[in-house]
Amino acid sequence: GDSVTQMEGPVTLSEEAFLTINCTYTATGYPSLFWYVQYPGEGLQLLLKATKADDKGSNKGFEATYRKETTSFHLEKGSVQVSDSAVYFCALSDRSSNTGKLIFGQGTTLQVKP
Amino acid sequence: DAGVTQSPTHLIKTRGQQVTLRCSPKSGHDTVSWYQQALGQGPQFIFQYYEEEERQRGNFPDRFSGHQFPNYSSELNVNALLLGDSALYLCASSLAGSAYNEQFFGPGTRLTVL
């Protein structure tokens, strides 16, 4: 079945450092790809998405490019802030499904220190 | 514009008991999905309701059941609770037929089974 694998956390960075969180996927169909963020004590918020190969999703300084040839969707940010500390989830949705059901990775905790 | 709301926020039950969790979708949405997020894990899809019918179901036992009301709100019921049912239960709403069936998440209900 479809699956998502994320790099193990936690990831600890100093403020203004460059961030990469790796995400790879396995899918039989042609998925849409997402990054969600979960702040402490809160639900999930959609951070960015990409729906076809070579699409780049971007939001709040975060970017991720849909790479079909490497089945990857790595999250990047050029300069992280303390407020970016959260858990980040990579997810996919099979576009052939009419439900939009999401399959998530296990999450990567990011801690940014001042 | 009210987002997705869930109640209660926290719940403590003992093994063997039954629990009901509630969700009100984002205004204008007609579809509700439920996810279980165990501690340190990514959310797992339980099922989705549309037009008061279960449209898709994940790999969860029949102890997990749901309902959708004419106003699109939804309940998740879990019978014969097990310790392993302790988790954050997330509700997500979407609009059927919309682009990518984008799902909007509520803050979740934290269930603890003792």
Side-chain angles (χ1 to χ4, degrees):
Chain A
D2 294 356
S3 65
V4 175
T5 302
Q6 293 180 231
M7 64 186 287
E8 292 279 339
V11 173
T12 303
L13 297 173
S14 297
E15 206 165 22
E16 299 184 3
F18 184 85
L19 168 71
T20 299
I21 300 178
N22 291 337
C23 170
T24 57
Y25 68 90
T26 301
T28 53
Y30 192 12
S32 295
L33 301 174
F34 305 84
W35 277 100
Y36 282 83
V37 58
Q38 187 173 36
Y39 297 101
E42 298 185 13
L44 299 175
Q45 299 177 26
L46 178 64
L47 183 59
L48 54 83
K49 64 178 182 285
T51 60
K52 61 183 186 295
D54 300 325
D55 264 4
K56 178 185 282 188
S58 62
N59 186 28
K60 299 180 182 178
F62 291 90
E63 293 183 340
T65 301
Y66 191 142
R67 300 289 187 199
K68 188 178 179 184
E69 64 276 13
T70 55
T71 62
S72 64
F73 192 54
H74 305 321
L75 182 67
E76 296 182 335
K77 187 176 185 183
S79 176
V80 294
Q81 305 300 312
V82 172
S83 58
D84 294 327
S85 298
V87 182
Y88 291 81
F89 292 94
C90 185
L92 68 81
S93 173
D94 183 356
R95 292 198 302 165
S96 65
S97 164
N98 65 346
T99 65
K101 166 192 166 183
L102 291 165
I103 296 172
F104 288 89
Q106 73 271 32
T108 302
T109 299
L110 170 65
Q111 184 177 27
V112 181
K113 296 186 175 180
Chain B
D1 178 23
V4 179
T5 60
Q6 293 185 244
S7 63
T9 305
H10 296 88
L11 204 52
I12 299 175
K13 292 287 188 179
T14 56
R15 281 178 297 174
Q17 285 189 311
Q18 179 265 344
V19 68
T20 297
L21 310 181
R22 295 175 176 83
C23 172
S24 291
K26 180 178 168 67
S27 178
H29 285 182
D30 56 9
T31 302
V32 173
S33 301
W34 288 92
Y35 292 80
Q36 180 195 66
Q37 185 180 11
L39 194 63
Q41 301 295 316
Q44 299 286 320
F45 177 79
I46 303 175
F47 42 52
Q48 184 180 90
Y49 276 84
Y50 171 66
E51 292 188 337
E52 302 179 46
E53 298 280 340
E54 183 183 288
R55 184 155 77 163
Q56 188 176 11
R57 188 177 184 92
N59 188 25
F60 279 81
D62 291 345
R63 298 187 296 109
F64 289 77
S65 63
H67 188 77
Q68 185 179 34
F69 299 94
N71 67 352
Y72 308 119
S73 67
S74 176
E75 290 181 347
L76 164 65
N77 301 293
V78 187
N79 295 322
L81 285 167
L82 303 174
L83 295 179
D85 295 331
S86 295
L88 180 68
Y89 288 85
L90 295 166
C91 170
S93 74
S94 56
L95 178 62
S98 61
Y100 324 122
N101 290 306
E102 183 175 334
Q103 300 194 21
F104 292 77
F105 284 82
T109 293
R110 173 74 62 188
L111 172 64
T112 301
V113 182
L114 302 177

